[in-house]
Amino acid sequence: MPLKIALAQINPTVGDIDANVRKIIAFSCQAKHQLGADLVLFPELSVTGYPAEDLLLRQDFVIQARQATVGLASRVPHDLDVVVGFPELDEAGNLYNAAVVLRHGQVLVCYRKRALPNYGVFDEQRYFSPGGQTCIFDLQGVRIGLAICEDVWKPDTVADNKTDGAELLLVLNASPFHAGKIHQREAVVASQGRTLALALVYVNQVGGQDELVFDGASFAVNHHGEVVYRAEEFQEELGVVEYAGGQLQKSHCAPCYRAISSEYKALVLGIRDYVKKNGFQGVLLGLSGGVDSALVLALAADALGNERVTAVLMPSRYTLEMSIEDAISEANALGVKYCVIPIEPAVAAFSAMLEPVFAGADRDVTEENIQARCRGTVLMALSNKQGSLLLTTGNKSEMSVGYATLYGDMAGGLAPIKDVPKLLVYKLARYRNGVFPVIPERVLTRAPSAELAPDQRDEDTLPPYEQLDPILELYVEQDRSAAEIIAAGFKAEQVLKAVRLVDSSEYKRRQSPPGIKITSKAHGRDRRYPITSGYQGDKLGHALDADTKQSTAAE
Amino acid sequence: MPLKIALAQINPTVGDIDANVRKIIAFSCQAKHQLGADLVLFPELSVTGYPAEDLLLRQDFVIQARQATVGLASRVPHDLDVVVGFPELDEAGNLYNAAVVLRHGQVLVCYRKRALPNYGVFDEQRYFSPGGQTCIFDLQGVRIGLAICEDVWKPDTVADNKTDGAELLLVLNASPFHAGKIHQREAVVASQGRTLALALVYVNQVGGQDELVFDGASFAVNHHGEVVYRAEEFQEELGVVEYAGGQLQKSHCAPCYRAISSEYKALVLGIRDYVKKNGFQGVLLGLSGGVDSALVLALAADALGNERVTAVLMPSRYTLEMSIEDAISEANALGVKYCVIPIEPAVAAFSAMLEPVFAGADRDVTEENIQARCRGTVLMALSNKQGSLLLTTGNKSEMSVGYATLYGDMAGGLAPIKDVPKLLVYKLARYRNGVFPVIPERVLTRAPSAELAPDQRDEDTLPPYEQLDPILELYVEQDRSAAEIIAAGFKAEQVLKAVRLVDSSEYKRRQSPPGIKITSKAHGRDRRYPITSGYQGDKLGHALDADTKQSTAAE
């Protein structure tokens, strides 16, 4: 008889132990009764969801999670092995990132994660002590090992399982998405399988959690390192693989994922889960006629359905007629309701109120920011009155250089494209138009403008995005210095300007809403810079004067 | 001849390696030439400042820090041992939190920190590998060991130094302030000295760095665990102790610090350094006539001098005459210039603009928030135009329960009293009035009100602060559950309300400006909660309906 192993790619809610347990029971029953599985494998820390952050420091939380995990044993089919992850508190007060095998109404074995990631978005050493040994158990004569996420990236840890007799390794994961990550994961795991002649079954969490999106994309590789099963990405799924004759058998394989569609789906799921898990009925956003808000509108409508999205047009004297036309046609193309609230009365009121104190002062970015903040106030008023979530429409290029107004266009509860560089915004917009056209071509071809001053263009203030985006990728994502970036062939003036703007706008980013991480390094918990910093890079920066922190051109 | 050891309690700037090196040279010269010291001890990571956060992931940064450290050897007096901290990158690419002894123009020895804190505000395991051994060196026949901060809290690590022959232990520190921390530090170190019959010299960084303030408060204990030297707190200082006849001799001891004055000084230094190190000329703040803004005004004037502070009064129809009178007398008492900008025109403009979309809807917190956001917009306009830093005046009690308006009274670059609970706000105000009266008595006795609606009082919405503050201390600082807090004697209704408000306002805190940590657990990098969380505590919370995240009463 082949051994049937089910892969339960579930979408838990962080902290909602009851709901997660109900989901685990439902998937377990389905695995047994519909798929005839002998074992079902759930993601890392499936009982609590991942990452639970400082909830893990609360004793009541970890006690409740343990009780729920032990209690699960009697609530799932007894003739099914159920492998779930939970935080395990030992009697000495140490906490482990653990997994148990439940069998016949009891806990059969418990494994403690050995490799605890503490880089990037991960803080596992803040919470957990490392485990020190393998955990091999027997099911119908097959020797099975357990590993949790980071463990499988460590050749030694995987090899220990082979040494200790495992022929099959089950891996529980909560591995967040970023571009290229899915292929990287398959490559690493396949390499371990091939090198050690070991079969591996890899189940990943799916779903959005604040800044992170988990893509699922679970898979299995055989002793030769061949992918024999691949789940769909960005959705819950219960799959099954068979292990027979010492081999993992070829099963269903979803086609390889396309980078651009993975990124689009990541953003859609990130929005949908943030809205759903935080109990909002719908969202609203300011629609300017520019490409950023056009993309966010399409993402929101795709995530929630058009009836749960409201667009708000807030023209000023600097808004071109073309922008209003394009915004309206975007809303109409998606069937999204919109309203128009011109901001001139509020702008005029502030001008009059400030006139006595500003008397004689030249017009500068202050007046631009007032417009943006009038829009922010209108949007937040609608959000408060309707209980809708305000989506912020700024992209990663803007957030990196601080080309945005704090409390203005940065206002909102979620910033869906905060980790999407401007050039990728265009690509995603074209990808979406390829499915069904919703964004007018003109929006994709005209020069970007904040429309806060006459004839304004982003390029008046910033390097062209074709230059800026690769510079930012090297500086923000790859931690390269200005000197290295210049040596790579970029213009010194543009590099120094970009680097200076990134450094001096950390205070703005610190107050920005959470975004959805889709690159290898996102602003937020992924990239943790001090606001107060005297670092001038490799001294090249001295060529330009440092602005004070709150008067950067873009603010 | 006694051995003369100088304690250089310096205030470095994170990232400004050149300036920190110049300061180290100046203090070293003074130690040699004015104090006749044989050795001068600097704080942990003194070359880069602490904490440098993700700057430490930049190769250019750590290379520059190493070059500066090695270069120091030839720039300090050659007949003086100089002990400084720096991040040490080894050839395998591992980074250590290290300290070197510079002597005769060269690096004599290098020690690598063994205990790396990764809790609370600390993320050292994100950056550093641990060292594995002691580092003992000889100076004039005295065997001296080195330790770095967390090391000295580990009895085994300290004992290793004694075992390996040290009679004197030099400890480099960057230990941030919170209430009670100074006495805790002295007690732990004195206990190590007494237990092991070891003399210890403890030098701490001083100065503000974003959310943290380092108090200095350096000290030395002899073999009997007696404090024989104590520096002033919250200021740079160069002290000296003598080691003779196998004993650390009694030296200058500042009087024991008083809790309330330490807290006040911490806030003053936190403001001063944030303003100075970020290059602002001055600050402004909204002055309401309430106690919070009154305290922030006094702190700012004490930190910067009254001529660098501007107060802005922004009355509305709900502002009592008494509030305006009190605000003016506060500004006058401190000699701070003020302006008055009534917000009614902007409020009226927004009301008219929103009337068509709000038609028929009841008045609710939306209208209160609009007033707060009009004030935020006025203040930010002044900040932008003048290049001044806007100080936010919300306290910890409000921030904990979300009783504040995002982009309204929460707008600003620094929130000085964000970690000060309301009852402590009153205590600090009375303490300041005890030095010289600047806050009218009436401000300290009238019921707190946001003045955003007729006859509004905080107690209409929140439990009285006498109840709320201790509940919040148990929940936020001590991670106790609602059930435990109720069992401790607090009213269930108040506890459940407070807990629910804390949980549902995480999204607001995530967008709040940095505050200055003065309690054992501050909101910010110290307390890291998910925004999206389904955790309902110990189920008691189910008794109350959960609001959606953006329509909490206070917002």
Side-chain angles (χ1 to χ4, degrees), chain A residues 390-416:
Chain A
L390 173 57
L391 297 180
T392 310
T393 60
N395 61 59
K396 187 176 193 175
S397 310
E398 291 172 356
M399 273 301 91
S400 296
V401 295
Y403 194 70
T405 299
L406 205 49
Y407 324 132
D409 52 307
M410 285 176 65
L414 180 69

Short mmCIF file of all heavy atoms in Angstrom, two decimals, chain A residues 390-416:
data_model
loop_
_atom_site.label_atom_id
_atom_site.label_comp_id
_atom_site.label_asym_id
_atom_site.label_seq_id
_atom_site.Cartn_x
_atom_site.Cartn_y
_atom_site.Cartn_z
N LEU A 390 -8.81 53.18 4.29
CA LEU A 390 -8.22 54.03 3.27
C LEU A 390 -6.94 53.39 2.73
O LEU A 390 -6.02 53.10 3.49
CB LEU A 390 -7.90 55.42 3.86
CG LEU A 390 -7.13 56.38 2.96
CD1 LEU A 390 -7.84 56.63 1.64
CD2 LEU A 390 -6.85 57.69 3.69
N LEU A 391 -6.90 53.18 1.43
CA LEU A 391 -5.68 52.67 0.79
C LEU A 391 -4.83 53.84 0.32
O LEU A 391 -5.33 54.78 -0.30
CB LEU A 391 -6.03 51.79 -0.41
CG LEU A 391 -6.82 50.51 -0.12
CD1 LEU A 391 -7.08 49.76 -1.44
CD2 LEU A 391 -6.07 49.61 0.85
N THR A 392 -3.54 53.74 0.61
CA THR A 392 -2.58 54.76 0.20
C THR A 392 -1.97 54.31 -1.12
O THR A 392 -1.79 53.12 -1.32
CB THR A 392 -1.50 54.86 1.29
OG1 THR A 392 -2.16 55.00 2.53
CG2 THR A 392 -0.57 56.01 1.06
N THR A 393 -1.65 55.25 -2.01
CA THR A 393 -1.29 54.83 -3.37
C THR A 393 0.17 55.07 -3.74
O THR A 393 0.55 54.91 -4.89
CB THR A 393 -2.20 55.54 -4.40
OG1 THR A 393 -2.02 56.95 -4.27
CG2 THR A 393 -3.66 55.20 -4.17
N GLY A 394 1.01 55.42 -2.76
CA GLY A 394 2.42 55.69 -3.08
C GLY A 394 3.19 54.42 -3.41
O GLY A 394 2.93 53.36 -2.87
N ASN A 395 4.17 54.56 -4.32
CA ASN A 395 4.99 53.40 -4.72
C ASN A 395 6.34 53.41 -3.99
O ASN A 395 6.65 54.34 -3.24
CB ASN A 395 5.18 53.41 -6.24
CG ASN A 395 5.90 54.66 -6.70
OD1 ASN A 395 7.02 54.94 -6.28
ND2 ASN A 395 5.26 55.46 -7.56
N LYS A 396 7.14 52.36 -4.23
CA LYS A 396 8.39 52.21 -3.50
C LYS A 396 9.42 53.28 -3.88
O LYS A 396 10.19 53.72 -3.02
CB LYS A 396 8.99 50.83 -3.75
CG LYS A 396 10.22 50.56 -2.88
CD LYS A 396 10.77 49.16 -3.05
CE LYS A 396 11.77 48.83 -1.95
NZ LYS A 396 12.22 47.43 -2.03
N SER A 397 9.43 53.68 -5.13
CA SER A 397 10.40 54.70 -5.54
C SER A 397 10.16 55.99 -4.74
O SER A 397 11.08 56.60 -4.22
CB SER A 397 10.28 54.98 -7.04
OG SER A 397 10.32 53.77 -7.76
N GLU A 398 8.89 56.40 -4.67
CA GLU A 398 8.53 57.60 -3.91
C GLU A 398 8.85 57.44 -2.42
O GLU A 398 9.38 58.35 -1.78
CB GLU A 398 7.02 57.87 -4.03
CG GLU A 398 6.55 58.31 -5.40
CD GLU A 398 5.03 58.37 -5.51
OE1 GLU A 398 4.33 58.00 -4.54
OE2 GLU A 398 4.54 58.77 -6.56
N MET A 399 8.47 56.28 -1.87
CA MET A 399 8.70 56.05 -0.44
C MET A 399 10.19 56.04 -0.13
O MET A 399 10.62 56.45 0.95
CB MET A 399 8.11 54.70 -0.02
CG MET A 399 6.67 54.73 0.39
SD MET A 399 6.36 55.84 1.78
CE MET A 399 5.98 57.34 0.90
N SER A 400 11.00 55.57 -1.08
CA SER A 400 12.44 55.51 -0.85
C SER A 400 13.05 56.90 -0.78
O SER A 400 13.89 57.17 0.08
CB SER A 400 13.11 54.70 -1.95
OG SER A 400 12.66 53.36 -1.92
N VAL A 401 12.64 57.78 -1.68
CA VAL A 401 13.26 59.11 -1.71
C VAL A 401 12.43 60.14 -0.96
O VAL A 401 12.78 61.33 -0.92
CB VAL A 401 13.50 59.59 -3.16
CG1 VAL A 401 14.52 58.68 -3.85
CG2 VAL A 401 12.20 59.63 -3.95
N GLY A 402 11.33 59.71 -0.35
CA GLY A 402 10.51 60.64 0.43
C GLY A 402 9.72 61.61 -0.44
O GLY A 402 9.35 62.69 0.03
N TYR A 403 9.44 61.22 -1.68
CA TYR A 403 8.66 62.09 -2.58
C TYR A 403 7.18 61.86 -2.32
O TYR A 403 6.46 61.23 -3.11
CB TYR A 403 9.03 61.77 -4.03
CG TYR A 403 8.56 62.80 -5.03
CD1 TYR A 403 9.14 64.06 -5.07
CD2 TYR A 403 7.55 62.51 -5.94
CE1 TYR A 403 8.72 65.01 -5.98
CE2 TYR A 403 7.12 63.47 -6.86
CZ TYR A 403 7.71 64.71 -6.88
OH TYR A 403 7.30 65.66 -7.78
N ALA A 404 6.72 62.37 -1.20
CA ALA A 404 5.35 62.14 -0.74
C ALA A 404 5.14 63.05 0.46
O ALA A 404 6.09 63.49 1.09
CB ALA A 404 5.18 60.69 -0.30
N THR A 405 3.88 63.35 0.74
CA THR A 405 3.57 64.23 1.86
C THR A 405 3.03 63.42 3.04
O THR A 405 2.00 62.75 2.92
CB THR A 405 2.52 65.28 1.46
OG1 THR A 405 3.06 66.07 0.40
CG2 THR A 405 2.20 66.20 2.64
N LEU A 406 3.76 63.50 4.13
CA LEU A 406 3.33 62.87 5.38
C LEU A 406 1.97 63.46 5.77
O LEU A 406 1.80 64.69 5.71
CB LEU A 406 4.39 63.23 6.43
CG LEU A 406 4.62 62.37 7.65
CD1 LEU A 406 4.77 60.91 7.33
CD2 LEU A 406 5.87 62.88 8.37
N TYR A 407 1.03 62.60 6.15
CA TYR A 407 -0.34 63.01 6.53
C TYR A 407 -1.14 63.52 5.33
O TYR A 407 -2.25 64.01 5.50
CB TYR A 407 -0.36 64.05 7.66
CG TYR A 407 0.72 63.87 8.69
CD1 TYR A 407 1.52 64.92 9.11
CD2 TYR A 407 0.95 62.61 9.24
CE1 TYR A 407 2.53 64.73 10.04
CE2 TYR A 407 1.97 62.41 10.17
CZ TYR A 407 2.75 63.49 10.55
OH TYR A 407 3.75 63.31 11.47
N GLY A 408 -0.53 63.45 4.13
CA GLY A 408 -1.23 63.87 2.93
C GLY A 408 -1.51 62.63 2.09
O GLY A 408 -2.32 61.80 2.46
N ASP A 409 -0.76 62.48 0.99
CA ASP A 409 -0.96 61.27 0.18
C ASP A 409 -0.42 60.04 0.89
O ASP A 409 -0.68 58.92 0.47
CB ASP A 409 -0.31 61.44 -1.20
CG ASP A 409 1.13 61.88 -1.13
OD1 ASP A 409 1.42 62.89 -0.46
OD2 ASP A 409 1.99 61.22 -1.73
N MET A 410 0.33 60.22 1.99
CA MET A 410 0.78 59.05 2.76
C MET A 410 -0.26 58.58 3.77
O MET A 410 -0.05 57.57 4.44
CB MET A 410 2.09 59.38 3.49
CG MET A 410 3.31 59.42 2.57
SD MET A 410 4.80 59.92 3.48
CE MET A 410 5.00 58.52 4.60
N ALA A 411 -1.37 59.30 3.92
CA ALA A 411 -2.39 58.90 4.89
C ALA A 411 -3.11 57.63 4.44
O ALA A 411 -3.41 57.47 3.25
CB ALA A 411 -3.40 60.03 5.08
N GLY A 412 -3.37 56.74 5.39
CA GLY A 412 -4.11 55.52 5.05
C GLY A 412 -3.73 54.37 5.96
O GLY A 412 -2.75 54.44 6.70
N GLY A 413 -4.52 53.31 5.89
CA GLY A 413 -4.30 52.16 6.75
C GLY A 413 -3.42 51.10 6.13
O GLY A 413 -2.78 50.31 6.83
N LEU A 414 -3.38 51.06 4.81
CA LEU A 414 -2.55 50.07 4.10
C LEU A 414 -2.04 50.72 2.83
O LEU A 414 -2.78 51.43 2.14
CB LEU A 414 -3.38 48.83 3.76
CG LEU A 414 -2.65 47.71 3.01
CD1 LEU A 414 -1.61 47.03 3.90
CD2 LEU A 414 -3.62 46.66 2.46
N ALA A 415 -0.78 50.47 2.52
CA ALA A 415 -0.15 51.04 1.32
C ALA A 415 0.19 49.88 0.39
O ALA A 415 1.31 49.38 0.41
CB ALA A 415 1.09 51.83 1.69
N PRO A 416 -0.75 49.45 -0.45
CA PRO A 416 -0.55 48.21 -1.22
C PRO A 416 0.71 48.19 -2.08
O PRO A 416 1.36 47.14 -2.16
CB PRO A 416 -1.81 48.13 -2.08
CG PRO A 416 -2.84 48.90 -1.35
CD PRO A 416 -2.08 50.02 -0.69
#
